[in-house]
Amino acid sequence: MFMWGCLCFAGPGGAAANAEPILRVALASDLRSTNPGINRDSVTDWVMTHVVEGLVATNAELAPAPMLAESWSVSDDGREYTFRLRPDVKFQNGATLRAAHVVWSWRRMLDPQTRWPCRSWYDGNGDSGVRIDAIQAVDEHTVRFRLREPDPLFLYRLADVQCHVAIIHPESLDANGNWRWPIGTGPYRLKEWRRGRYVELERFDGYSLAAQPASGFAGRKEAFVRNVRLVVIPDASSAKLAVLSGEIDIWPLTAAEALPELRRDSHVDLLQEASRDWSVLLMQNRSGVMSNPALRAAIASALDPELISQSTMHASRPLRPYGVPAEEIAPDILARIPPAYQPQRTQELLRQAGYKGELIEIDVSRETGSYFNDAIVVHALLVRAGINARVRSMDWATQFKRYLGHEYQLSLFGYTGRATGPMMYSVFVCDPVKRVNCVVHTPRALAIMGELNTSSPQRWPVLMGELEMEIAHDRSIIGLYAPLRITTVRRSVVGYETWALGMPRFWGVRVDAPGQTTAVAKRLARVSAASGQGTWP
Amino acid sequence: MMLTFILRRVAQGLLTLAIAGTAVFLLIRVIPGDPAQMLVGDVGDPAMVAATRASLGLDRPLPEQWLLFASDLANGDLGTSIMTGQQVREVIMQAFPVTASVVLLATAIAALIGIPAGMWAAWRQGRAADYLLVGITSVLLSVPTFWSGLIVLVIFSVKLGWLPALGYVPLGEDLRAGLIALIMPVGVLVLAELATLARMMRSSTLEVLRLDYITSAQARGVAPWAVLLRHVFRNAFAPTMTTLGLMLGHLLGGVVVIEKIFGLPGIGRLLVDSIVQRDYPIVQGCLLFVAFIFVIVNLIVDLLYAALDPRVRV
C-alpha cells in the first residue's frame, strides 16, 4: 500500500524518452577526491582523465603520444625536453592554455607541501635518480624541462596514469592555495560530485580536439554524450540488477559471479580483455622459515598456476608467469627460464630445504578481486604436497600493512598494470634501503633494473628476460595470471571500446535514445500518462 | 522527583559518551593498518609515509593524541577525514539524514502495523488470526535483509520495472523522487521490524490479559476495544516501547546491508568504508554519534516509560 501510494503520488512521466540521453555508469567505489594525482585511487584516476589532461598521454599501443603538447624535441644529450603546446586549447573556465600554466602545474606538484606521492620520480630520490633541474616557459606555447641526467623513460613517466601531472588552471585552488575544484582542459568538466551517490560529468563545449585519431588516452577525444553520470554502487548484486533493469548502461569491472545472468540477457554485451595487471603469490624472503630459498622453490614447484587461474568458476583468467606479457620479453631468454611448477621435484626440494612441517600462512583479503578463491586452491595444493599451510583472511588495510612491513609468509597480491616493462618491474624490484615495498632485491636484479631504467626501449626485451631469469632463481614472487577486465555494456550504447590499460573512456560513445528508456521509465511513463502528472526525475 | 530522575539519566548519558569516546579512540588504534600508508598507497617511499603520518598527528604518543582528540571534542570539533579532508561533522550530517529517513519511516510504519496486529493476535489467541500472525512473523524473522532486499529488487525493478533499482534522492530536494527511492529500502526494513514488534506486543499483551483487573473489566461488560485500548495497551506497551527504543537506536546507527544493496549513502556504509580505509577521525566521529543517538533515544524511552509507569521513577 505504501509502495502504491508513493507510486501514485509520484506520478512520474516519460521525460527520459524526450530528454537528451545521459550515459549511466556504475562505480564500485566513490572518488577519493577531485584532486588528480594527489589523493587518488584507480577509480579516481580514470574518472579524472575525462576532466584533466597532461602534456602527453598513453595511446592504445601504450606509448606516449601528444596530448596538450602537439610535438616535442629532445636535446642531443637527452637532458632537455622541449614541448610545443597545441594552440587555442581552452580551460573549462574559458582561459586559454599557456606555457605558464604548465610550469605552474608542474611546480605545484613538485612542491613538497603538495605531498604528491610520485614526487620521488622527479626529485632525484627515486630508484632511477631522475631529477628535474628546471621547468621553463620558453614562450607562450613552449615549455622546456631540463633533467640532471638523461632519462629514456621520461615521456613514459609523463604519460603514466597513476603518477599523472594534470595541467590545471590556478583557479582550481583558492586564495590560500587549498584545493577547490578541477579546472582542466579535458572533454568533460566535473559538473557535480554528490559523495557516496554519484559523480556527474558534463561535456565541455569549448574542448579543443586534437588532430590525431583517438587512441588510448590520447588523440581526438570527441564527447558525443552531453552528460555522464557515474553512480556509486558498492554491491555487485545491486549493480547487476541495475544493469538488467536498464538503469545502468556500462558496468566496468563486472564481478565474475554476475556473468551467468548477464550472459543470458539479450540487452547487454560483455566485453572482455586480459589486463596488464598482474596477480601474484608473494613469498617473504627476509626472515624466518621463508628466507630459505629451497623452501620457496619447493612451494613454487607445488603450485599449479592453471588450477589457480580457474579458481573463479565463471571466468578463466589467462596465465601470466611474468611481470609483463610474454611477447614483450626476448623469446630466446624466455625459453631458458625454468618453470616454477614442477610437482615431481616438490618432495626433493622440501628435503633439501630441511622442512619439518612448520606452519606457513597465506595472507589474503576478501575485499580485493577473487584472491580468496585463489587462496583456497593454493592452500589445497600445498596441503597435497605435504606442506602445513593455513589461509589467513584479513581486511585489505591489514594485508597492506603486513605486505609493507614484510610480516607475511605467503601473500596473494595484485599489481596494477603499468604501460611499460621498466615501470612495471620497478614497482617490486628495488633497493630496500630506499623503498619499503621491494620484493625482489638481489644484487643482480638491482643491477639489471638499473640498466633497464636507463636503456632505450630496444634493449628492454633482453633486459626484462634477464630480470625474469633472476626472479625465477629468487622465487620470492610467483606470477599467476592476468586478471580479466570484464565490462558490461547495454546494447543501447554505441562506440564504447576497451583497450590495453583497461580504463574506461566515454569520449566517442553515443547512447541510443530509445534504448535509454528503461523498464522503470517505461512503466512510470504509463502511470504518468494515466494520471496526467509531472515528470520522472 | 521527575527532575531528579531526568538529571540522573542525563548524567549517566554523559558518562556513557565519555567511556564510549575513549573506547572508540583506543579500539580503532588497536586493529592493524596504517592510515598514512593507506593514504599514500603502494609507493613505498618511507619518507612520504612518515611525513603524512606526522601531518596527521599520528606520530605523537597515544596519550597526547587522546588529549588532542578530547580537547577538540570538548570544542565540538570531530576533526577532518584523513582520506577526503572533509570535516567529520559535515560528513556525518550528510550521511545521517539518509539513514534517518529510512529508519524513522520504516519504524513508524512497522509500529503502526505491528503493535495493533500483536494486540489483536493476543486477543484472538489460539484462533486463525493468531496463527496467521505467528506464522507470518516467523517467516519474516527468518528472512535475512540481504536476501529480501535482492528479491524485492528483482521483482519490482528488474521483472516488473515499477521502481528504480538505485538512486537516493534527499526528501528535502525532491519529495516525490525521494519517496520513490525509499519505497524498497523502507519496505524491506518494515518487514524485518514489523515481525519483532508484533511478536513483542503479542506476548506482553497476553501477559496483561491474564491479570485480574482485565478479567474484572470483562466481567463488568466493558467492550472488547475499550478493554484493549484503555486497560491493556498502557501496561502492555511499556516493554514494546523499550524494544522499540533499542531497535531505533540500533538502526539509526546504520543499516549497512540495506544501505549497500540499495546504494544509500547512509551512516552505516560510511562507517564500514571508513574502517576499511582506516579513516580514524570518521570512525571515531561516526561511533560517537551512534553512541549519542543511543543515549538520546534511550533517555526518551526512559522518560516515556517513567511517564507510563510511575514506579520506574522511584
Side-chain angles (χ1 to χ4, degrees), chain A residues 241, chain B residues 143 145-159 184 188 261-262:
Chain A
L241 295 175
Chain B
V143 175
T145 46
F146 71 83
W147 186 83
S148 55
L150 288 174
I151 292 297
V152 162
L153 268 176
V154 169
I155 294 172
F156 291 101
S157 189
V158 180
K159 299 292 180 195
M184 283 195 284
V188 170
I261 289 175
F262 295 103

Side-chain angles (χ1 to χ4, degrees), chain A residues 7-86:
Chain A
L7 264 181
C8 295
F9 169 65
N18 302 322
E20 191 163 355
I22 181 168
L23 183 68
R24 292 186 175 88
V25 181
L27 280 187
S29 61
D30 202 356
L31 298 187
R32 277 273 286 269
S33 78
T34 61
N35 196 346
I38 305 298
N39 187 1
R40 55 155 293 273
D41 58 11
S42 68
V43 168
T44 311
D45 286 341
W46 68 253
V47 172
M48 295 313 291
T49 55
H50 294 80
V51 179
V52 296
E53 296 172 321
L55 288 172
V56 296
T58 303
N59 67 13
E61 285 74 46
L62 302 180
M67 196 61 253
L68 291 178
E70 62 180 2
S71 63
W72 59 81
S73 60
V74 186
S75 64
D76 291 341
D77 64 0
R79 291 176 54 222
E80 268 189 12
Y81 285 75
T82 306
F83 295 89
R84 182 78 190 158
L85 302 181
R86 274 195 287 136

Side-chain angles (χ1 to χ4, degrees), chain B residues 199-239:
Chain B
R199 279 295 191 91
M200 190 70 206
M201 196 63 197
R202 178 182 173 276
S203 64
S204 53
T205 305
L206 280 175
E207 277 179 30
V208 175
L209 282 174
R210 289 189 193 108
L211 297 177
D212 291 345
Y213 76 96
I214 300 295
T215 314
S216 165
Q218 286 173 318
R220 285 202 315 271
V222 180
W225 65 267
V227 172
L228 277 176
L229 287 182
R230 285 189 201 150
H231 301 286
V232 176
F233 179 74
R234 192 176 165 115
N235 283 316
F237 183 59

